[in-house]
Amino acid sequence: MRQRAGVHGNPIASLVAMLAVLSACSPGETPSAESSPMSTTPSDASSAPVTPTPSPRPEASPTSSPAPQAGTYLALGDSLAVGVGASDPARLGYVGRIHRALGGPALRNLAVSGETSASFREGGQLTAALEAIRSADPPVSLVTLDIGGNDLLRLLGSEPCMSQPDSAACGQAVAATLAAFERNYRAIVGELRAELDRTAPGARLAVMTYFNPFSGTDAVYEAGGRLALLGNDLELDCRAADRDLADRGMNDIIACVGRRAGAAVADVHPRFVGQGLDLTHIGSEDIHANDQGYAVIAETFVRALPAGSAE
């Protein structure tokens, strides 16, 4: 039986401990470069189910690998792209697993732990990414991106969301955070896409949605996380752009902006539904994926990459 202790006994104490873990992963550390790439195409985000049947326990690495690719694999993002939470971040984080699955000769991982969408744009990672796309040898053939999770997580360290996550005031704070995230994300994806089109036109871009680490824990933050990621309609789709903004969550923004830019969408959220305790360290008050969770993320990326051609 899965243990649920430490996740919902004292939500404030749990949050303080969790935020201490997150603050230890502050911007500034960058992993070393190594090697790889691939081609990609958007999955149909509008058809993603809300509560799918939990996926089978993943193997140590993606099982359906595309053919080896030439070129450079450029990984961008936050602590998930760094591999924080894996027993061997460089090898067992999702970037290392994708790198091995694609079998390419070059990897550059520019991800920074603690990165937000704002710090990504203004703190140097976007500039470094654009320069890498221009100068990589061999040329960039795949870019993966995960960014935005820390935008939401930082709300949990301040009022009103820290003590009243289900309040109207917290909902307003989430809405403002998502609006700022959407502006940043559109700019980030737009600049990456434009530079790829200019200097590496054959390269593919793949973006990742976020999982809810509290899913299946009965924690006070489980429902709030679901709303923040999927919106009030609890669905991943792009129709929300033409409806009430409350129906749009962070994952809707990621998937819809990504699809419009011709990116593959690695929708990891459904794979983690009900499995927070199995696929993350949330039982120890740490939101990061564990080895098994990173295997799921890598497999989701790999499955998305060969699904057709970019728009």
Side-chain angles (χ1 to χ4, degrees), residues 177-179 181-183 185-186 229 236-237 248-260:
T177 294
L178 289 177
F181 167 73
E182 183 168 11
R183 290 192 295 272
Y185 198 72
R186 287 183 183 278
L229 293 174
L236 182 65
D237 62 60
R248 183 165 52 181
M250 177 167 282
N251 285 348
D252 295 302
I253 295 169
I254 290 170
C256 300
V257 171
R259 285 174 56 187
R260 291 186 189 111

Side-chain angles (χ1 to χ4, degrees), residues 65-267:
S65 302
Q69 302 292 308
T72 294
Y73 165 23
L74 178 63
L76 307 172
D78 53 28
S79 57
L80 294 179
V82 172
V84 173
S87 58
D88 182 345
R91 191 173 69 87
L92 297 179
Y94 81 78
V95 170
R97 292 173 184 272
I98 293 172
H99 167 232
R100 291 195 304 280
L102 302 183
L107 167 65
R108 290 197 64 183
N109 191 339
L110 300 180
V112 177
S113 291
E115 197 85 294
T116 65
S117 62
S119 65
F120 188 104
R121 286 185 70 188
E122 302 163 6
Q125 190 173 169
L126 179 57
T127 298
L130 297 175
E131 176 56 32
I133 292 170
R134 286 190 287 267
S135 63
D137 184 18
V140 167
S141 56
L142 170 65
V143 177
T144 61
L145 172 68
D146 80 74
I147 198 69
N150 289 312
D151 296 44
L152 290 176
L153 283 169
R154 292 190 176 193
L155 291 176
L156 300 183
S158 61
E159 297 298 348
C161 294
M162 185 170 181
S163 62
Q164 297 178 301
D166 57 352
S167 67
C170 181
Q172 292 170 356
V174 170
T177 294
L178 289 177
F181 167 73
E182 183 168 11
R183 290 192 295 272
N184 289 330
Y185 198 72
R186 287 183 183 278
I188 290 166
V189 173
E191 291 195 49
L192 291 173
R193 179 78 272 167
E195 193 58 52
L196 288 170
D197 289 345
R198 276 193 297 269
T199 59
R204 303 307 176 106
L205 175 63
V207 299
M208 188 192 88
T209 65
Y210 279 88
F211 56 84
N212 182 359
F214 298 103
S215 186
T217 66
D218 296 332
V220 66
Y221 299 101
E222 180 174 3
R226 193 163 56 241
L227 287 170
L229 293 174
L230 296 175
N232 287 341
D233 63 358
L234 298 181
E235 293 182 358
L236 182 65
D237 62 60
C238 294
R239 295 168 297 170
D242 301 320
R243 303 202 311 263
D244 190 330
L245 292 181
D247 287 340
R248 183 165 52 181
M250 177 167 282
N251 285 348
D252 295 302
I253 295 169
I254 290 170
C256 300
V257 171
R259 285 174 56 187
R260 291 186 189 111
V265 178
D267 184 18

Side-chain angles (χ1 to χ4, degrees), residues 251-300:
N251 285 348
D252 295 302
I253 295 169
I254 290 170
C256 300
V257 171
R259 285 174 56 187
R260 291 186 189 111
V265 178
D267 184 18
V268 305
H269 180 274
R271 304 291 303 277
F272 282 72
V273 169
Q275 300 197 75
L277 290 167
D278 294 326
L279 301 181
T280 79
H281 294 287
I282 198 63
S284 301
E285 298 168 346
D286 177 359
I287 54 84
H288 294 99
N290 56 26
D291 287 348
Q292 186 180 341
Y294 279 120
V296 168
I297 294 172
E299 181 184 4
T300 305

Side-chain angles (χ1 to χ4, degrees), residues 38-82:
M38 177 64 233
S39 76
T40 74
T41 296
S43 58
D44 186 1
S46 64
S47 63
V50 179
T51 54
T53 302
S55 303
R57 188 172 298 272
E59 297 184 11
S61 60
T63 56
S64 55
S65 302
Q69 302 292 308
T72 294
Y73 165 23
L74 178 63
L76 307 172
D78 53 28
S79 57
L80 294 179
V82 172

